[in-house]
Amino acid sequence: MTGTDLSAAERFAAAKVRNRSRNLELFRADLRFDLDPFQFAACDALDQGRSVLVAAPTGAGKTIVAEFAIWLAMRQPTAKVFYTTPMKALSNQKYAELVEVYGESEVGLLTGDTNVNPRARVVVMTTEVLRNMIYADSDLLDDLAWVVLDEVHYLADRFRGAVWEEVILHLPTEVRLVSLSATVSNAEEFGDWLQAVRGDTDVIVSEDRPVPLEQHVLVGSKMVDLFDSSGAAATNRVNPELLRMVGGASRSERHGGGHRGGRGRGGYHDRRGPRTEKLHRERIAHMLDERMLLPAIFFVFSRAGCDQGVRNVLRSGLSLTTVPERNEIRETAEYHCRTLPDEDLAVLGYWEFLEGLERGVAAHHAGMLPAFKEVVENLFQRKLLKVVFATETLALGVNMPARTVVLEKLEKFNGEARVPITPGEYTQLTGRAGRRGIDVEGHSVIQWTDGLDPQAVASLASRRTYPLNSSFKPTYNMAVNLVDQFGRQRTREVLETSFAQFQADRSVVDLARKVRSQQESLEGYREAMQCHLGDFTEYSTLRRELSDLERTNVPGGREASHGARQERQAAITAVRRQMQRHPCHACPDREAHARWAERWWKLKRVNDKLLQQIRSRTGAVATTFDRVTDVLLQLGYLVDAGNGEATVAAGGRRLQRIYGDRDLLVAECLEAGVWKDLTPAQLAAMAATIIYQPRRDDAPGTEHALPRGAFRPALDETLTIWSRLDDIERDARLAGSVPPTPAMAVGMFRWASGSALDDVLRTLDLPAGDFVRWSKQVIDLLDQIRNAGDDDLAQTARRATDAVRRGIVAYAAV
């Protein structure tokens, strides 16, 4: 249709849209590509001054929406943008990208351990940094126009998710949000909440992958499609060829059961199919290379498995790079690791790491040194690495798309047991397959193992979305900060607007609907059991009481004395006599009435449970806040001001500056002066004791060589304080906590005392990457102690920070 074909009204409407979106048209003119429909819709909403929630698959191009918000802000004289990410690696990457566009003078970076140009117009930061700024009422918030919440689905993370809700709830109302999320099945629900607490918010959802995904199964050495690709087949029907190869119909089809087969000692098994020999990793890499399906990411759900994958390839002699590529790889690795001390390179396994890189192969997991991970990410993005063996954290982290994703297993260890991966996790993992602008299609390859059910695999692979559920709960630090800002009653009202309470209230609506439906059924059952001779509800109560007594009166049982059994027998006789005297006992339709009564009692039990759920969910967040404030009042961090209000005491001012799971314990130890006599190295060891949480597969150093002098009595007092707090919390009906562990104290003490890296890693039996990660958390806590403690302790904390921040810990990513 041409412009002359349009009516006057249509031409006017089109002109209005063009004028309204003039900024967007200018922005589009500078792009190398045109915007997808969802990108255009989101940017158009921003151009109108609205906030947006954009939910789209990994790699779909959500960040262009954030870039438009930055572009809009930079066209204004003083407007600022904060770009938040859940991980320091993502912050570092985004900082580097924005510096290329706007220059170093306009872009800053704040990640806790890095502070670059914080007064810039565009500042990249971790979400926790922004939360802390809000509570501190920082002047950096002045002129803030936009906040980008990248990976906002981290709100569901049970350890850190509350931070996202705190930011959303407490940002100044005039600040607009750009919330970017992976595809979630309840984006509209989350958007409704954003609309309720932030005002005008558009929800833009796209479920289209920018690069189509072809899904395969590797059975032995043969790769076949997971789904039937014939034109007549249903979209998600399992490929008949796959069914034939693994032994015909799945166990669930043969026996009419669920999706999974019978459970044997090793899990679920399909006993009829032939056993298949798994192809070794190096042979899979070679096969993918021959099929032009590299680069590939092999998702392996253990760190040791990732490292072993690299060793497998090295032993096989496979090389996937050219001579010019190898030279470029070596130059990049040497540049990134140039600041590492020579004596540490051998300890860190640098030469084996470099050999793998030059062959085009590497691992990527949290146990690696950050410098090594940066090399891997850099080389993979430049297409110099061909195979990366990675844990699932890569799927949630930096931008590293591949042509192919290989899944060795469809289950992982969750810290307690091996569990199947969820459809959401599968979507995240396979979201890395397919490079926009490079690949026509992405590929996922599931390595078949005996016992898999083809239908269950197909069901997992065909579901694309997962729900976003709040993990929000009030903390002590949150409580004192909010009470200081809003007062106790106003804070209670604010917390009742959290996404957690929003979801709880919505679930209450559904529960109430079920209760109403069941109430109707209960009334029907009650009518059906009516007896013309008397109250059958009363009679059925006696029958149930008799039945319960008879079950507990087992003849010859040793659990009770002879006297107790005689008492129960007497009670049985009394209830039976009472029942026999009841008018309904003589009714000829007694058993028919009784069957209806039994249905009534069963449904009443279910209904009572639903009512209890409703009571527990109504005001659940505010109830937890009340319990938290009760503890703070009891300990003197808050002072009762009457009329349900409270004010922040001197100790509360200290608590306002302490963040983390053990905020109250740290505040109590500072209040009691427990750590005042510690040396810098001992204070670093104590900070490690507070923050360290051992992994189940860690084997940290033993505690027999704890630092001598003031450390041991300080540790005893710290544990005593923890025990007292745990009792107080449990009395207040709050979840307790696990005791601090000094498992890392010896290694941290030696590191802060100047010991060599080799000695410290051997003492702790920790990978270098884990040691660096924990050390940075130690530094973070020491900084909090410096800000919250008295002058002498602040000096000790400063010296402890300097002692820890050396060698590989001091390596700066930016």
Side-chain angles (χ1 to χ4, degrees):
M1 184 181 285
T2 65
T4 55
D5 296 326
L6 296 173
S7 67
E10 287 170 330
R11 288 198 300 275
F12 176 76
K16 189 175 179 181
V17 170
R18 281 196 303 275
N19 290 332
R20 186 189 71 195
S21 304
R22 187 171 290 137
N23 283 325
L24 181 52
E25 293 306 317
L26 289 171
F27 179 71
R28 289 173 74 183
D30 291 334
L31 297 177
R32 301 188 310 275
F33 52 87
D34 199 11
L35 296 174
D36 289 342
F38 87 89
Q39 294 170 326
F40 182 88
C43 291
D44 186 47
L46 296 184
D47 206 7
Q48 296 176 59
R50 300 170 66 83
S51 296
V52 294
L53 166 64
V54 182
T58 301
K62 295 186 288 291
T63 54
I64 197 70
V65 182
E67 289 166 16
F68 180 56
I70 296 170
W71 186 89
L72 285 173
M74 297 302 280
R75 287 175 64 82
Q76 300 173 34
T78 60
K80 296 198 303 192
V81 180
F82 287 171
Y83 193 115
T84 75
T85 76
M87 301 162 76
K88 291 177 183 178
L90 276 172
S91 293
N92 295 337
Q93 186 182 57
K94 183 53 62 176
Y95 170 78
E97 291 172 4
L98 290 172
V99 164
E100 284 187 22
V101 178
Y102 295 104
E104 289 187 0
S105 63
E106 297 288 1
V107 185
L109 177 68
L110 295 171
T111 61
D113 55 358
T114 303
N115 187 326
V116 178
N117 198 14
R119 297 194 175 275
R121 295 277 304 281
V122 183
V123 185
V124 184
M125 61 187 69
T126 50
T127 317
E128 279 85 353
V129 169
L130 177 54
R131 187 270 312 270
N132 297 352
M133 269 190 205
I134 293 169
Y135 284 160
D137 198 21
S138 169
D139 64 350
L140 294 177
L141 296 168
D142 294 346
D143 297 320
L144 182 61
W146 298 94
V147 166
V148 177
L149 294 174
D150 202 356
E151 310 278 355
V152 74
H153 51 271
Y154 262 75
L155 181 144
D157 184 272
R158 66 191 181 103
F159 298 110
R160 299 172 57 210
V163 175
W164 275 259
E165 286 194 52
E166 290 176 76
V167 166
I168 292 167
L169 285 171
H170 305 309
L171 266 175
T173 53
E174 66 273 12
V175 177
R176 283 156 292 174
L177 291 185
V178 180
S179 304
L180 307 178
S181 171
T183 309
V184 293
S185 52
N186 60 335
E188 288 78 9
E189 178 187 42
F190 185 48
D192 287 347
W193 175 68
L194 288 172
Q195 173 78 29
V197 297
R198 300 294 313 174
D200 293 341
T201 302
D202 285 8
V203 179
I204 291 97
V205 177
S206 173
E207 296 186 6
D208 296 329
R209 282 179 53 100
V211 181
L213 180 67
E214 295 292 323
Q215 304 189 75
H216 316 281
V217 178
L218 185 62
V219 184
S221 60
K222 186 170 182 181
M223 194 161 75
V224 296
D225 292 342
L226 172 58
F227 296 111
D228 189 346
S229 57
S230 64
T235 307
N236 295 322
R237 178 184 161 197
V238 179
N239 185 354
E241 183 184 1
L242 173 61
L243 291 174
R244 285 194 298 272
M245 291 178 67
V246 299
S250 70
R251 185 181 182 92
S252 60
E253 287 179 313
R254 289 196 304 271
H255 298 290
H259 285 303
R260 308 303 293 265
R263 186 187 292 272
R265 254 182 218 179
Y268 293 91
H269 299 284
D270 184 342
R271 301 187 186 280
R272 274 182 48 180
R275 293 191 66 80
T276 54
E277 183 120 7
K278 285 186 70 173
L279 212 58
H280 293 302
R281 292 161 174 163
E282 63 274 16
R283 290 184 60 194
I284 298 174
H286 181 63
M287 182 184 73
L288 294 176
D289 187 31
E290 289 181 329
R291 295 184 180 217
M292 306 290 287
L293 291 178
L294 295 181
I297 299 172
F298 285 62
F299 280 112
V300 183
F301 298 118
S302 80
R303 300 173 179 186
C306 294
D307 295 332
Q308 186 59 47
V310 175
R311 287 193 288 271
N312 291 152
V313 173
L314 291 181
R315 277 201 298 267
S316 74
L318 180 66
S319 182
L320 302 167
T321 53
T322 63
V323 172
E325 286 176 330
R326 286 197 285 276
N327 293 334
E328 195 173 346
I329 286 168
R330 177 176 282 272
E331 286 177 13
T332 300
E334 289 176 348
Y335 173 78
H336 276 267
C337 299
R338 69 193 182 282
T339 60
L340 296 174
D342 289 341
E343 64 271 18
D344 290 345
L345 291 178
V347 176
L348 298 169
Y350 173 75
W351 306 112
E352 184 182 32
F353 171 68
L354 182 61
E355 183 186 358
L357 294 177
E358 290 182 335
R359 300 260 206 100
V361 181
H364 188 288
H365 56 73
M368 291 174 64
L369 192 70
F372 287 11
K373 282 201 291 185
E374 288 156 22
V375 172
V376 172
E377 291 158 10
N378 180 288
L379 294 175
F380 199 83
Q381 288 160 0
R382 289 160 55 196
K383 309 178 189 63
L384 293 170
L385 277 184
K386 314 303 179 183
V387 171
V388 170
F389 296 95
T391 55
E392 72 269 26
T393 53
L394 177 59
L396 303 170
V398 293
N399 182 27
M400 280 178 61
R403 178 166 294 170
T404 303
V405 161
V406 179
L407 298 177
E408 293 190 346
K409 293 181 180 178
L410 295 179
E411 62 177 20
K412 66 174 187 176
F413 186 70
N414 68 357
E416 296 176 357
R418 298 207 68 83
V419 295
I421 64 172
T422 65
E425 289 167 334
Y426 182 88
T427 301
Q428 285 284 84
L429 296 169
T430 56
R432 290 290 172 198
R435 299 164 300 173
R436 191 171 191 174
I438 302 174
D439 298 320
V440 177
E441 58 197 15
H443 297 266
S444 71
V445 178
I446 298 168
Q447 192 169 12
W448 185 264
T449 55
D450 294 311
L452 284 180
D453 180 342
Q455 300 292 351
V457 173
S459 175
L460 175 75
S462 61
R463 291 173 61 192
R464 288 276 171 269
T465 58
Y466 56 100
L468 178 62
N469 293 315
S470 173
S471 61
F472 182 82
K473 59 181 179 181
T475 66
Y476 297 109
N477 169 275
M478 184 195 305
V480 290
N481 275 295
L482 294 180
V483 168
D484 192 34
Q485 282 191 13
F486 305 117
R488 186 177 183 182
Q489 293 302 323
R490 173 73 181 123
T491 295
R492 205 174 185 282
E493 294 168 9
V494 168
L495 294 180
E496 285 181 329
T497 65
S498 67
F499 187 46
Q501 192 58 55
F502 186 82
Q503 287 190 307
D505 290 343
R506 286 202 164 189
S507 69
V508 163
V509 172
D510 291 334
L511 290 173
R513 192 178 298 119
K514 285 182 184 176
V515 166
R516 283 196 300 273
S517 172
Q518 291 178 358
Q519 290 284 9
E520 292 175 10
S521 297
L522 283 169
E523 287 304 315
Y525 294 164
R526 186 187 288 278
E527 286 181 21
M529 70 178 186
Q530 288 293 327
C531 177
H532 66 287
L533 296 178
D535 183 351
F536 203 87
T537 305
E538 185 180 81
Y539 178 72
S540 65
T541 303
L542 291 170
R543 284 177 64 122
R544 292 176 67 82
E545 187 181 347
L546 178 63
S547 178
D548 291 343
L549 284 168
E550 287 177 336
R551 270 199 303 272
T552 59
N553 196 44
V554 181
R558 297 183 180 178
E559 79 289 348
S561 66
H562 176 70
R565 289 200 300 275
Q566 277 192 321
E567 282 182 21
R568 268 207 304 269
Q569 187 58 53
I572 288 172
T573 303
V575 172
R576 183 177 290 130
R577 186 177 297 120
Q578 195 177 354
M579 189 180 75
Q580 289 169 347
R581 290 173 180 171
H582 196 282
C584 293
H585 191 67
C587 180
D589 298 322
R590 181 184 68 200
E591 293 309 312
H593 294 327
R595 284 192 291 274
W596 284 109
E598 191 57 33
R599 293 174 192 172
W600 185 85
W601 281 109
K602 283 182 179 177
L603 188 59
K604 186 177 184 301
R605 268 201 310 272
V606 172
N607 213 46
D608 287 346
K609 285 182 180 178
L610 289 177
L611 289 169
Q612 178 56 41
Q613 287 182 44
I614 289 173
R615 283 192 292 272
S616 66
R617 294 183 189 187
T618 304
V621 175
T623 299
T624 302
F625 170 72
D626 288 339
R627 293 170 182 171
V628 166
T629 52
D630 286 344
V631 169
L632 293 172
L633 286 164
Q634 180 180 342
L635 294 173
Y637 291 91
L638 295 176
V639 177
D640 191 343
N643 298 319
E645 283 299 336
T647 57
V648 179
R653 299 288 174 200
R654 180 182 289 115
L655 182 55
Q656 284 180 278
R657 299 191 290 275
I658 301 167
Y659 302 91
D661 290 341
R662 298 196 187 276
D663 48 5
L664 189 58
L665 174 62
V666 173
E668 281 287 279
C669 289
L670 293 179
E671 189 76 18
V674 170
W675 303 334
K676 60 183 176 59
D677 295 327
L678 298 179
T679 66
Q682 290 173 338
L683 186 59
M686 186 63 71
T689 299
I690 295 295
I691 59 99
Y692 183 64
Q693 297 170 358
R695 284 164 51 95
R696 184 117 159 216
D697 55 352
D698 280 348
T702 58
E703 303 165 19
H704 66 275
L706 288 174
R708 298 186 181 279
F711 182 84
R712 295 191 185 198
L715 176 62
D716 289 341
E717 288 187 62
T718 300
L719 292 173
T720 299
I721 290 172
W722 167 82
S723 179
R724 177 172 57 83
L725 289 178
D726 193 56
D727 289 341
I728 292 171
E729 287 177 317
R730 292 181 190 278
D731 288 344
R733 289 181 295 164
L734 290 168
S737 60
V738 296
T741 171
M744 195 180 176
V746 177
M748 186 55 63
F749 176 78
R750 290 181 181 174
W751 177 253
S753 299
S755 291
L757 176 65
D758 187 23
D759 173 54
V760 172
L761 294 183
R762 195 167 52 248
T763 298
L764 292 172
D765 194 17
L766 278 179
D770 281 346
F771 173 68
V772 170
R773 180 165 55 87
W774 288 117
S775 295
K776 289 188 174 183
Q777 290 189 44
V778 165
I779 289 171
D780 187 43
L781 179 54
L782 289 170
D783 284 341
Q784 293 177 43
I785 292 171
R786 190 187 69 203
N787 292 329
D790 58 33
D791 290 344
D792 289 342
L793 189 60
Q795 283 288 96
T796 305
R798 187 176 292 109
R799 291 197 295 271
T801 299
D802 294 340
V804 175
R805 192 185 279 123
R806 67 179 182 87
I808 62 171
V809 178
Y811 175 84
V814 179

